Amino acid sequence: MKYPPIKNFIQGKFVDSISEESLNVISPIDGSHLSTVPMSEPSDLEKAVIVAAEAFKTWSKTPIKDRVQVFFRFKSLLEKNKNELANLISEENGKTPEEGLAEIEKSIELTEFACSLPQLITGELLDVSKGIECRTEHVPLGVVASIVPFNFPSMVPCWTIPNAIALGNCMIIKPSEKVPLSIGRIAELLSEAGLPEGVLSVIHGNNKIVDAICDHPNIEAVTFVGSTKVAKIVYRRATQNYKRCLALGGAKNHLLVLPDAIPEMTAKNITASMSGCAGQRCMAASAMVAIGDVDHIIDRLCVEARKMIPGGNLGAVIDKESKNRIEEYINEAEKMGAKILVDGRNTTVSGKENGTYIGATIIDFVTPDMSVAKEEVFGPVISIMRTKTLDEALAIENNNPYGNAASVFTQNGAAARYVIEHANAGMVGVNVGVPVPREPFSFGGWNESRFGVGDITGKSSIEFWTKLKKTTTKWNPQAGVNWMS
Ligand code: NAD
């Protein structure tokens, strides 16, 4: 085992869970045993909630200009430690070290946004009548929690930790049991940056902890990021317990390609979108809708996809179960008559035979009834569906139950405008394969990709992590003035 057993992080210290149950943490890169992760009990969570509630008394009263100083220092520490963090992310998640580094760069950008919150959080004030003023202020909620997935061990926690904490809340984070390593370093760096004890806790575990978070009477708000199946469970359970909840789910992102798209740029963008992070991004291209004759672009796409080398510029998928599931989608499509143009099945990497690799895969002549066209594959696979018109392509995109992202590739401004207007997705790209909005623009999908109101980052997060206090004040009313009029 490369690293010592993982511990929870409570009151600024790494502590053992009271549970004796643990899981092995296996690197997708080569199947090596990295560590063990405890399957904590609700009583571990209870300790974290008690210390967070205590820490909240002081943290929430600390001026926001002082609170964000922690994040200015955290940003510097992320910069200083980015290579170490990138390698750790790569080891536990299977993405390449370069992709790990890109994840840290995004975590830095998210932290920068949190540093700007004092500029954005000012309330409103108006003299509503003679001698009477009304004002609003954003007040933190209390103890809050974030439940995160395996695919971005640092970036997704940084969607919520900096903003929620800078806004005055105390947070408990439940990492994915598949990637529990780098969050420990993040907690350590936040302590080094001066975050007071108890403001952030990390409780490792599985659905038992998630259920306990949703049920806990002293946790005010919960964010979840993960699959749609679990997003629904968490959203229902947390809101049934009268909590504020925002639950982001899975995705099925469609890229619409018109014949006038620039072949090289389009092929490179689509390849990067479908195979970056081994296709394990909620913004990954999963379906390409080829409109009219775009065979020259598909040929070019195959050339680009063959440049993706498993174990080189293409990372591993998270585990054997995922690899088998993804290969099963490809097998089924082939059986139903689709044509495999580039086949990434049965991939092994020399010297890393126990790694879980799949090569970039392009499937042509996919029909909407195939599972690979309907479901989230979460691997480096793209399904090509053919249509004659843009409206037919949009109908395919509109019919999918998710709504994270959609993109169009064209040089025609009117066509692009038409897709922006008619795509049924929260994030739309024009000649962009992964249309993730950069800060300060907020991130969030629609439909079955998002349950709850608002987006998880940007200005939206101010509404989520705070409540408004409305104060009406009367000073020295002049005689004879009817202030209620
Ligand atoms: P997952 O839903 O399996 O797990 C997410 C979290 O929920 C983990 O912490 C896990 O421990 C917990 N969990 C799992 N099963 C549970 C259950 N039955 N009850 C309660 N909690 C449970 O997701 P994953 O496999 O870790 O991540 C991949 C998924 O996340 C994909 O569907 C991807 O699209 C999605 N994702 C979405 C976004 C977005 O912004 N919409 C971003 C990243 C990932």
Side-chain angles (χ1 to χ4, degrees):
M1 196 162 88
K2 183 166 177 187
Y3 298 105
I6 286 167
K7 298 183 179 200
N8 290 330
F9 185 81
I10 304 175
Q11 192 90 57
K13 288 169 205 68
F14 289 104
V15 293
D16 287 320
S17 160
I18 66 145
S19 164
E20 285 179 6
E21 192 192 341
S22 65
L23 292 180
N24 289 327
V25 184
I26 304 295
S27 175
I29 289 177
D30 55 8
S32 60
H33 189 194
L34 294 176
S35 184
T36 58
V37 57
M39 294 296 102
S40 305
E41 290 291 333
S43 51
D44 293 308
L45 176 73
E46 188 58 38
K47 284 184 204 148
V49 174
I50 290 169
V51 301
E54 192 54 37
F56 181 73
K57 290 178 191 161
T58 311
W59 185 245
S60 60
K61 300 293 176 221
T62 305
I64 187 165
K65 275 174 171 283
D66 293 340
R67 290 195 300 247
V68 297
Q69 296 311 314
V70 171
F71 291 99
F72 278 108
R73 292 190 289 269
F74 178 58
K75 172 187 178 295
S76 300
L77 288 169
L78 284 176
E79 278 161 353
K80 197 168 137 199
N81 294 280
K82 64 181 171 190
N83 290 323
E84 178 214 330
L85 279 163
N87 288 332
L88 200 54
I89 289 171
S90 169
E91 263 186 314
E92 64 178 342
N93 169 279
K95 62 180 71 177
T96 67
E98 293 74 22
E99 288 167 344
L101 206 52
E103 180 169 348
I104 297 300
E105 298 290 357
K106 184 68 186 176
S107 306
I108 290 169
E109 190 177 75
L110 290 156
T111 305
E112 283 170 359
F113 179 81
C115 292
S116 75
L117 281 166
Q119 275 57 253
L120 301 171
I121 203 197
T122 49
E124 293 173 322
L125 186 141
L126 184 71
D127 280 345
V128 288
S129 179
K130 258 200 184 141
I132 313 271
E133 67 179 39
C134 282
R135 72 167 200 170
T136 59
E137 65 191 298
H138 291 274
V139 175
L141 302 176
V143 182
V144 299
S146 271
I147 301 149
V148 293
F150 79 80
N151 63 332
F152 283 98
S154 162
M155 183 194 78
V156 172
C158 284
W159 279 353
T160 55
I161 294 173
N163 290 351
I165 291 181
L167 289 166
N169 300 287
C170 293
M171 173 170 272
I172 292 160
I173 193 134
K174 206 301 275 174
S176 164
E177 60 275 40
K178 294 177 184 173
V179 293
L181 287 165
S182 42
I183 191 74
R185 278 301 282 143
I186 288 170
E188 267 179 337
L189 293 180
L190 277 163
S191 291
E192 200 181 324
L195 192 69
E197 288 175 3
V199 175
L200 175 74
S201 298
V202 182
I203 303 292
H204 293 281
N206 53 20
N207 56 319
K208 214 192 298 176
I209 291 300
V210 174
D211 290 350
I213 286 172
C214 294
D215 293 347
H216 201 292
N218 298 336
I219 294 179
E220 303 296 329
V222 178
T223 64
F224 170 88
V225 180
S227 60
T228 291
K229 183 178 145 223
V230 183
K232 285 181 177 172
I233 295 171
V234 169
Y235 186 77
R236 195 174 297 128
R237 193 159 180 150
T239 53
Q240 251 171 18
N241 286 314
Y242 310 110
K243 291 184 201 315
R244 203 176 271 200
C245 183
L246 181 60
L248 303 192
K252 184 86 196 167
N253 306 315
H254 289 64
L255 305 187
L256 279 49
V257 179
L258 283 152
D260 70 343
I262 297 174
E264 188 184 352
M265 185 262 278
T266 304
K268 283 193 165 148
N269 264 271
I270 297 178
T271 305
S273 179
M274 65 170 277
S275 62
C277 299
Q280 299 175 123
R281 285 193 286 209
C282 64
M283 295 294 279
S286 182
M288 166 178 161
V289 192
I291 304 156
D293 182 7
V294 295
D295 282 348
H296 59 298
I297 299 175
I298 293 172
D299 290 346
R300 189 68 210 234
L301 179 62
C302 293
V303 171
E304 292 300 327
R306 288 194 185 96
K307 293 183 192 164
M308 301 307 300
I309 311 298
N313 58 357
L314 177 55
V317 296
I318 189 71
D319 52 23
K320 286 205 170 78
E321 197 189 343
S322 261
K323 180 173 156 84
N324 294 341
R325 183 180 48 78
I326 296 162
E327 292 192 338
E328 206 32 60
Y329 278 117
I330 308 169
N331 295 341
E332 190 209 84
E334 189 175 41
K335 272 192 214 128
M336 289 177 75
K339 194 172 162 198
I340 316 296
L341 300 183
V342 180
D343 193 349
R345 288 172 292 186
N346 307 314
T347 296
T348 46
V349 172
S350 170
K352 295 172 181 171
E353 284 74 11
N354 288 326
T356 42
Y357 294 93
I358 299 188
T361 300
I362 299 178
I363 316 176
D364 201 356
F365 301 105
V366 170
T367 50
D369 55 324
M370 296 178 188
S371 307
V372 77
K374 289 188 289 196
E375 294 168 20
E376 181 177 37
V377 177
F378 228 50
V381 177
I382 196 155
S383 303
I384 303 177
M385 288 175 270
R386 306 261 183 165
T387 67
K388 290 198 176 67
T389 67
L390 184 53
D391 281 327
E392 278 175 66
L394 277 164
I396 291 176
E397 190 281 329
N398 283 191
N399 279 340
N400 97 81
Y402 299 99
N404 233 27
S407 281
V408 60
F409 286 84
T410 182
Q411 289 305 297
N412 182 326
R417 181 78 183 76
Y418 192 75
V419 172
I420 294 168
E421 199 176 317
H422 292 93
N424 191 9
M427 292 170 278
V428 180
V430 177
N431 298 316
V432 173
V434 185
V436 174
R438 298 274 309 260
E439 312 316 303
F441 294 94
S442 60
F443 184 100
W446 291 355
N447 311 327
E448 300 246 312
S449 294
R450 197 268 321 259
F451 303 91
V453 177
D455 288 341
I456 199 159
T457 62
K459 283 187 200 155
S460 247
S461 68
I462 298 176
E463 301 313 318
F464 187 79
W465 294 121
T466 62
K467 52 193 176 191
L468 270 189
K469 180 169 277 183
K470 287 77 59 181
T471 306
T472 305
T473 309
K474 179 173 72 160
W475 293 115
N476 301 324
Q478 293 160 25
V481 174
N482 177 2
W483 62 272
M484 289 302 285
S485 63

